[in-house]
Amino acid sequence: MQKKISHEETDSHPPPADKINILVVEDEQHLADSIARRLLEDGYAVDIAHDGDEGFRLASTKRYHLIVLDILLPRRDGLQVLKDLRRNKVQSMVLILTAKSTIEDRVEGLRAGADDYLLKPFAFAELLARVESLLRRQGIQQRSPLRVADLELDIETRCVRRASRNIRLTAKEYFLLELLMRNKNRILTRREIAEQVWGYNFDTGTNVVDVYINYLRKAIDEGFPTRLIQTVRGVGFIMKEE
Ligand code: CA
């Protein structure tokens, strides 16, 4: 079953001039929809297939820059899909999703022609970073740095600077900051943040979001006259320039 989601269904960022086509092959419907929505928000064109046969058929008939491919799929498993595509000279980049964490599985996936893999459960921020990195490797995507006031985040190099000061962040802090900056002037709920940075099956009963917001404030706001990260009481957080 194929599902096409148009960009108009999301209210976010404008699409880049040249649409980048991504196919998501994932049988867990909720997960497939979540991945697709996240990619659409970043301006990609996305198709979804829910089993291996459908995924193979779509990938063989339309040109995709990137295929996000689950391994455990009905009808034809992901590794077989990948081998069949490569045998048919389909050159799309492939990012494998797998719950299996053994070395042999990873090696098998890469040997079958995958370009990268991501272990389930993953955070969407990590998925997006991998997608961007693969597209960059192909020379498809060049993104300009994100800016909020005098704060700058370079997606290419992962360098963060405020005024002329370099800021060092942990991976989670970086992803949190990137999420806030991509959504500048928009309120993000704790739940949205948790799902994006920590993963789609994140336990929302913890205060980890608040803890990391505090780490991030120390890193980017402390010592500066303007505070860029603001709390919206009872809702979440927003990053904005005055
Ligand atoms: Ca699956």
Side-chain angles (χ1 to χ4, degrees):
M1 181 173 53
Q2 180 200 1
K3 192 153 122 200
K4 176 93 186 170
I5 302 179
S6 74
H7 188 266
E8 285 67 40
E9 283 174 39
T10 69
D11 59 353
S12 309
H13 321 281
D18 298 313
K19 271 283 187 190
I20 294 170
N21 292 317
I22 299 182
L23 174 64
V24 176
V25 190
E26 167 62 65
D27 58 317
E28 289 169 58
Q29 190 139 358
H30 177 73
L31 179 57
D33 288 347
S34 300
I35 294 172
R37 197 179 321 119
R38 198 60 195 81
L39 292 169
L40 282 164
E41 283 173 6
D42 270 27
Y44 300 109
V46 184
D47 292 329
I48 299 176
H50 288 118
D51 65 61
D53 281 353
E54 180 70 9
F56 175 76
R57 194 183 62 74
L58 279 173
S60 307
T61 50
K62 177 171 167 180
R63 182 171 181 271
Y64 291 98
H65 298 91
L66 178 72
I67 301 169
V68 178
L69 181 63
D70 187 29
I71 291 294
L72 293 176
L73 288 169
R75 303 223 174 123
R76 197 183 314 193
D77 78 70
L79 283 180
Q80 194 57 49
V81 171
L82 178 56
K83 285 174 188 161
D84 294 344
L85 288 174
R86 292 303 187 232
R87 193 180 313 118
N88 288 0
K89 305 277 184 274
V90 173
Q91 302 293 343
S92 309
M93 290 212 140
V94 172
L95 171 62
I96 279 180
L97 302 181
T98 177
K100 302 172 174 181
S101 56
T102 64
I103 292 295
E104 299 89 87
D105 288 321
R106 297 183 208 186
V107 170
E108 197 186 346
L110 295 170
R111 200 173 279 149
D115 299 282
D116 199 0
Y117 62 87
L118 194 54
L119 294 181
K120 288 179 168 183
F122 53 83
F124 289 120
E126 181 68 25
L127 174 71
L128 282 177
R130 300 290 184 95
V131 165
E132 287 183 0
S133 150
L134 284 173
L135 293 172
R136 265 202 309 278
R137 232 203 266 169
Q138 275 190 313
I140 292 172
Q141 200 168 38
Q142 294 291 327
R143 290 196 174 232
S144 50
L146 301 174
R147 279 197 188 85
V148 178
D150 54 355
L151 179 67
E152 185 180 290
L153 180 149
D154 188 329
I155 293 168
E156 309 281 329
T157 59
R158 292 200 178 184
C159 280
V160 177
R161 294 166 69 85
R162 180 148 187 201
S164 54
R165 189 198 295 175
N166 282 315
I167 296 169
R168 297 179 68 89
L169 299 174
T170 65
K172 287 288 186 233
E173 290 164 357
Y174 173 87
F175 284 135
L176 176 57
L177 180 63
E178 186 184 331
L179 179 69
L180 289 166
M181 291 181 78
R182 278 184 195 279
N183 291 280
K184 80 173 166 184
N185 302 324
R186 183 168 95 77
I187 299 170
L188 291 167
T189 65
R190 285 180 174 78
R191 188 188 184 84
E192 277 179 279
I193 293 172
E195 285 186 356
Q196 295 291 333
V197 179
W198 280 271
Y200 46 87
N201 54 2
F202 179 75
D203 170 17
T204 48
T206 77
N207 68 341
V208 70
V209 172
D210 292 81
V211 169
Y212 272 80
I213 287 281
N214 282 336
Y215 290 159
L216 203 49
R217 279 187 167 134
K218 281 209 174 66
I220 67 154
D221 275 343
E222 213 166 71
F224 290 96
T226 322
R227 292 173 55 191
L228 298 176
I229 302 174
Q230 295 173 20
T231 305
V232 182
R233 209 171 285 276
V235 187
F237 302 94
I238 186 169
M239 183 161 239
K240 56 180 177 183
E241 41 202 352
E242 293 308 317

